[in-house]
Amino acid sequence: MDVRAAIAFEAGQPLRIETVQLDGPRAGEVLVEIKATGLCHTDKYTLSGADPEGLFPAILGHEGAGIVVEVGAGVTGLVPGDHVIPLYTPECRQCRSCLSRKTNLCTAIRPTQGRGVMPDGSSRFSFQGRPVLHYMGCSTFANYTVLPEIALAKVREDAPFDKICYIGCGVTTGIGAVLFTARVEPGSTVIVFGLGGIGLNVIQGARMVGATRIVGVDINPGREAMARQFGMTDFVNPKDLKSKDGGPDGDVVGHLIELTGGGGDYTFECVGNPTLMRQALECAHRGWGVSTIIGVAAAGQEIATRPFQLVTGRRWIGSAFGGARGRTDVPKIVDWYMDGRISIDPLITHHLKLDEINEGFELMERGESIRSVVMF
Ligand code: NAD
Ligand code: AHE
Ligand code: ZN
């Protein structure tokens, strides 16, 4: 069938909107009509060429919501008409990782996902007779896509697609990192580096669990108002911190430790910058502070700290998709949104048409959007 899609033909180039061909679902697969998709910083990262798994040409996008159109042989859990959210972290409930109950990182289809193909090793998309690759197993920058059944969460039908698509990555990643990965306790002091599409959800997660002090750190002063609306109690702009000799490079870690009376019980890095990852670890409280890396840094970049930082009781951990088990947790998070327990609408700052998708990445680059959502 003909499908409208934004194709990433090569790294660093704008996406091109084209009509591509999509084959129907094979065994275990599902054809989904994508109704809306968010633009996440990870799409931009892959498009930049810094992602070692970034293959081209591909159809990017991993933060979508839509409706099941057709199911392949052997699909038992979904039927046409079901409303679904694609999962870049699937949940097969059978692999060693799923059965361990220790991780959400299902391994059932991860190798083929990383090669841009379906579990049988082939792509369903083609353009002018040549294959176009899938991305993160989702490819939501297309009005129709094919996914394995284990990579779809069935959600309630009264939830608006243009809001719940964000649960496909940003909302779940941020809130989940607080609830499922770090397991922040009531009364905690939390420090969040990066107040974008992920960090603001960390902030609302921290408020949900009853953190009493929530410090946000960002170089964009435009983030402060929204972050306060979501529960931030203190804002720190590193650019405003002066060093002791009056120079521009102030001691961010020292400032945060002093501000919080010893450091954060829990800190989160939501930018993808190894320097900030180090700062986030080192401003975690001596003896018990836990620092969670959410941001994705490019191939070749490494994190560093004095081992002393860990010897003195800080713990450094990471979180993918907020530690959420997609088919189990995503429908619950949609319920939280519909019940008013979490807020999404103010974070969706721009609605775009597919033809305007490159403008969405420009808005992200300029720090003017929090989430742009393309509606098909
Ligand atoms: P975003 O562009 O919306 O937000 C990034 C924020 O970081 C912006 O507010 C920006 O002003 C701020 N920032 C940039 N440089 C800074 C600095 N030096 N100091 C302080 N703040 C700074 O991006 P996003 O969509 O929120 O994604 C954030 C990161 O999380 C990205 O690296 C993305 O790839 C990653 N991510 C990870 C997961 C996961 O599962 N681990 C999921 C989604 C996104
Ligand atoms: N190919 C990238 C992987 C980047 C990465 O860590 N991705 C996160 C999701 S980011 C969503 O916006 C993730 O889920 N990681 C676990 C996994 O299995 O990829 C790289 O840098 O190599
Ligand atoms: Zn994402």
Side-chain angles (χ1 to χ4, degrees):
M1 66 187 285
D2 282 355
V3 164
R4 289 295 283 168
I7 307 182
F9 279 98
E10 54 183 310
Q13 294 301 310
L15 304 178
R16 265 174 45 198
I17 316 306
E18 301 283 359
T19 298
V20 303
Q21 278 64 54
L22 178 62
D23 290 342
R26 297 190 186 169
E29 298 173 359
V30 177
L31 173 66
V32 176
E33 180 181 6
I34 297 293
K35 293 292 199 179
T37 180
L39 274 57
C40 171
H41 205 114
T42 306
D43 298 305
K44 186 167 170 289
Y45 156 74
T46 301
L47 185 58
S48 77
D51 180 353
E53 288 184 309
L55 304 169
F56 302 91
I59 297 172
L60 304 180
H62 61 281
E63 196 174 76
I67 302 178
V68 172
V69 177
E70 186 187 337
V71 299
V75 170
T76 54
L78 292 168
V79 294
D82 282 346
H83 290 208
V84 288
I85 291 183
L87 302 169
Y88 59 84
T89 306
E91 184 186 354
C92 75
R93 298 174 176 159
Q94 287 173 357
C95 71
R96 188 160 175 239
S97 297
C98 284
L99 292 175
S100 75
R101 309 300 300 160
K102 293 179 186 216
T103 179
N104 65 328
L105 293 175
C106 173
T107 46
I109 59 170
R110 184 65 183 82
T112 48
Q113 199 176 315
R115 296 203 306 273
V117 289
M118 287 287 104
D120 74 351
S122 62
S123 172
R124 301 288 158 272
F125 290 108
S126 60
F127 178 64
Q128 296 178 342
R130 295 197 179 142
V132 175
L133 295 167
H134 298 248
Y135 173 65
M136 290 175 72
C138 294
S139 291
T140 58
F141 293 169
N143 61 346
Y144 290 85
T145 189
V146 168
L147 297 106
E149 178 185 17
I150 59 167
L152 287 165
K154 181 172 159 16
V155 301
R156 58 198 274 173
E157 292 180 12
D158 57 344
F161 294 115
D162 68 314
K163 307 298 187 313
I164 63 165
C165 62
Y166 194 9
I167 295 173
C169 183
V171 170
T172 303
T173 296
I175 294 178
V178 174
L179 272 67
F180 305 136
T181 304
R183 298 172 193 236
V184 174
E185 304 100 358
S188 297
T189 292
V190 172
I191 303 175
V192 184
F193 286 74
L195 304 176
I198 307 301
L200 290 167
N201 280 294
V202 170
I203 286 186
Q204 78 163 321
R207 179 170 64 182
M208 262 178 94
V209 300
T212 40
R213 192 95 187 262
I214 306 174
V215 181
V217 182
D218 203 299
I219 52 173
N220 179 354
R223 295 288 190 227
E224 180 174 358
M226 185 74 81
R228 285 197 187 278
Q229 191 183 322
F230 274 71
M232 181 182 75
T233 56
D234 303 79
F235 179 63
V236 173
N237 183 343
K239 287 185 172 173
D240 293 341
L241 298 179
K242 300 271 185 282
S243 69
K244 289 197 178 86
D245 63 6
D249 296 322
D251 176 11
V252 180
V253 171
H255 179 77
L256 289 165
I257 289 175
E258 193 180 326
L259 181 71
T260 54
D265 300 312
Y266 296 93
T267 73
F268 296 86
E269 200 279 353
C270 313
V271 181
N273 176 332
T275 302
L276 303 186
M277 293 173 186
R278 179 176 191 154
Q279 291 173 356
L281 175 78
E282 295 181 0
C283 73
H285 203 289
R286 187 178 192 278
W288 64 74
V290 176
S291 186
T292 304
I293 293 177
I294 302 176
V296 172
Q301 296 201 313
E302 295 183 344
I303 49 172
T305 193
R306 263 192 81 196
F308 173 75
Q309 294 287 341
L310 304 180
V311 167
T312 47
R314 295 172 191 82
R315 282 183 291 147
W316 220 347
I317 63 173
S319 180
F321 196 41
R325 293 178 172 81
R327 287 201 287 161
T328 304
D329 295 324
V330 160
K332 291 183 200 159
I333 298 175
V334 171
D335 287 343
W336 296 349
Y337 167 67
M338 295 301 286
D339 295 345
R341 290 186 61 199
I342 61 170
S343 170
I344 293 181
D345 299 13
L347 299 177
I348 297 176
T349 50
H350 297 78
H351 284 90
L352 305 171
K353 299 192 185 86
L354 182 62
D355 291 345
E356 301 167 323
I357 195 165
N358 289 305
E359 289 166 39
F361 285 108
E362 286 160 21
L363 289 162
M364 185 192 291
E365 177 76 36
R366 294 198 299 268
E368 291 174 21
S369 59
I370 293 171
R371 266 312 192 251
S372 292
V373 166
V374 168
M375 297 183 66
F376 291 96

